[in-house]
């Protein structure tokens, strides 16, 4: 069964539910494609292909379409109205108790309920409803030395790479959030979008002039880039349409999980940085 990835991490954000007893909509449905001798793809779904030089996680979040923005806004508005209704009920109870406060010891007096406003109302962010967890387990293929291939089925649409992070469904996360700059890409139905290669093994370190006691890598390859032209595609995928991801820069996003904050390394032809400013190299 395809698992709807609705990441309602209440313990992290104290986010409000959509409404009492109401199930939030599944903006994204996703599952890892299993390592089997032969596979078939769902023409109504999209797929992303990722290769890494070691088993590792990658977290994606959906970029909302205009219709999804409208659905989310309506969902939030309904939850806000419900919060206001509950506030009025609590306020009435509070005022009843405090009608004759001289009879009530100070220690027993309840706190006045806080009225929900647009400024203080907490609601689950769209990104936490649409997470897609890839890796480090459920590999489609694995090679000697830890090299891995992941194939993930997901709802067609536009996605942002949140970062090399592992988010647990029950709460908690580890890794890095590319909160200060990342990329987005589109996934079409009936085809595989090739995200390229993540290289984490940086080769031999060279010695810096500043401190010879702590050598650091001086020539670090791009952390995320297109797979080499000669890289072989798994034979099981040969009959399916595969398209390279067309990356576009995307700006800042909150560090929802309280993990390490970073940004995606510069990508030739996609983006570079001028201090903390993203320079879009795809603009025409």
């Amino acid at each position: 069964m395809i698992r709807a990835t609705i990441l309602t991490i209440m313990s992290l954000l104290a986010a409000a539910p959509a409404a009492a007893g109401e199930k939030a909509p599944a903006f994204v449905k996703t599952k890892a494609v299993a390592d089997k001798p032969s596979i078939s793809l769902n023409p109504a779904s999209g797929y992303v292909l990722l290769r890494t030089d070691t088993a590792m996680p990658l977290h994606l979040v959906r970029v909302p379409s205009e219709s999804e923005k409208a659905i989310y806004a309506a969902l939030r508005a309904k939850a806000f109205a419900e919060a206001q209704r509950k506030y009025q009920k609590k306020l009435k109870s509070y005022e009843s108790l405090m009608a004759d406060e001289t009879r009530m010891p100070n220690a027993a007096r309840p706190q006045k309920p806080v009225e929900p406003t647009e400024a203080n109302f907490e609601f689950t962010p769209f990104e936490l409803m649409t997470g897609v967890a890839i890796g480090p387990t459920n590999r489609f293929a694995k090679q000697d030395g830890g090299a891995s291939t992941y194939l993930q089925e997901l709802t067609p649409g536009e996605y942002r790479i949140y970062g090399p992070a592992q988010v647990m469904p029950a709460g908690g996360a580890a890794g890095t959030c590319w909160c200060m700059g990342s990329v987005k890409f589109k996934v079409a139905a009936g085809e595989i979008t090739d995200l390229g290669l993540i290289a984490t093994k940086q080769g031999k370190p060279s010695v810096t002039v500043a401190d010879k006691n702590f050598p650091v890598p001086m020539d670090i390859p791009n952390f995320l880039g297109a797979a080499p032209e000669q890289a072989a595609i798994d034979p099981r995928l040969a009959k399916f349409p595969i398209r390279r991801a067309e990356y576009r820069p995307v700006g800042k996003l909150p560090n929802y999980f309280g993990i390490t904050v970073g940004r995606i390394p510069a990508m030739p032809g996609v983006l570079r940085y001028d201090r903390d400013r993203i320079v879009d190299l795809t603009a025409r």
Side-chain angles (χ1 to χ4, degrees):
M1 296 290 292
I2 295 179
R3 177 174 58 89
T5 57
I6 306 298
L7 299 181
T8 51
I9 306 180
M10 303 299 182
S11 61
L12 295 177
L13 296 180
E22 186 173 306
K23 186 178 180 181
F27 291 105
V28 176
K29 293 183 178 180
T30 183
K31 68 175 181 180
V33 178
D35 181 2
K36 296 181 178 179
S38 63
I39 64 167
S40 61
L41 303 186
N42 181 354
S45 295
Y47 295 82
V48 291
L49 173 69
L50 175 68
R51 281 155 285 184
T52 64
D53 59 6
T54 187
M56 65 170 291
L58 189 70
H59 195 73
L60 312 178
V61 294
R62 189 172 178 86
V63 178
S65 64
E66 291 304 313
S67 62
E68 288 168 338
K69 288 179 182 178
I71 293 171
Y72 178 81
L75 191 67
R76 185 185 185 281
K78 189 171 184 178
F80 182 60
E82 176 68 9
Q84 289 182 317
R85 186 191 67 80
K86 289 182 178 179
Y87 162 74
Q88 292 297 332
K89 186 176 180 180
K90 291 178 181 178
L91 181 62
K92 186 176 181 180
S93 176
Y94 169 81
E95 290 175 341
S96 177
L97 287 171
M98 299 298 290
D100 189 3
E101 59 179 298
T102 57
R103 292 187 176 184
M104 184 179 296
N106 289 338
R109 294 177 185 178
Q111 286 189 338
K112 185 177 181 179
V114 177
E115 181 179 3
T117 65
E118 288 294 340
N120 66 21
F121 180 61
E122 293 181 325
F123 186 72
T124 307
F126 182 83
E127 292 81 9
L128 293 187
M129 294 184 177
T130 61
V132 176
I134 301 176
T137 58
N138 298 319
R139 290 181 286 183
F140 180 70
K142 50 189 174 183
Q143 296 81 38
D144 293 338
S148 303
T149 298
Y150 299 96
L151 185 62
Q152 189 81 15
E153 180 179 353
L154 70 172
T155 303
E158 194 169 28
Y159 291 84
R160 172 196 176 109
I161 298 181
Y162 189 80
Q166 185 171 12
V167 180
M168 314 303 179
T176 299
C177 163
W178 285 339
C179 298
M180 305 305 292
S182 187
V183 291
K184 62 182 181 178
F185 59 93
K186 292 181 179 179
V187 175
E191 69 178 28
I192 299 171
T193 301
D194 187 353
L195 300 186
L197 171 69
I198 290 183
T200 61
K201 299 176 182 178
Q202 309 294 358
K204 296 181 179 180
S206 56
V207 178
T208 63
V209 176
D211 191 345
K212 294 184 179 181
N213 294 320
F214 296 95
V216 296
M218 297 296 290
D219 185 18
I220 300 176
N222 203 355
F223 187 74
L224 171 64
E229 292 289 349
Q230 67 274 18
I233 296 292
D234 191 290
R236 293 170 291 178
L237 305 180
K239 62 181 180 180
F240 301 113
I242 299 177
R243 176 183 57 83
R244 283 194 174 189
E246 296 179 1
Y247 288 120
R248 296 289 184 271
V250 63
K252 297 178 181 179
L253 197 67
N255 181 15
Y256 294 118
F257 307 106
I259 55 180
T260 302
V261 174
R263 63 187 186 184
I264 194 170
M267 298 176 67
V270 179
L271 84 165
R272 63 178 178 82
Y273 298 96
D274 180 6
R275 294 182 181 272
D276 63 347
R277 183 176 67 87
I278 298 171
V279 179
D280 186 352
L281 303 180
T282 69
R284 298 292 188 268

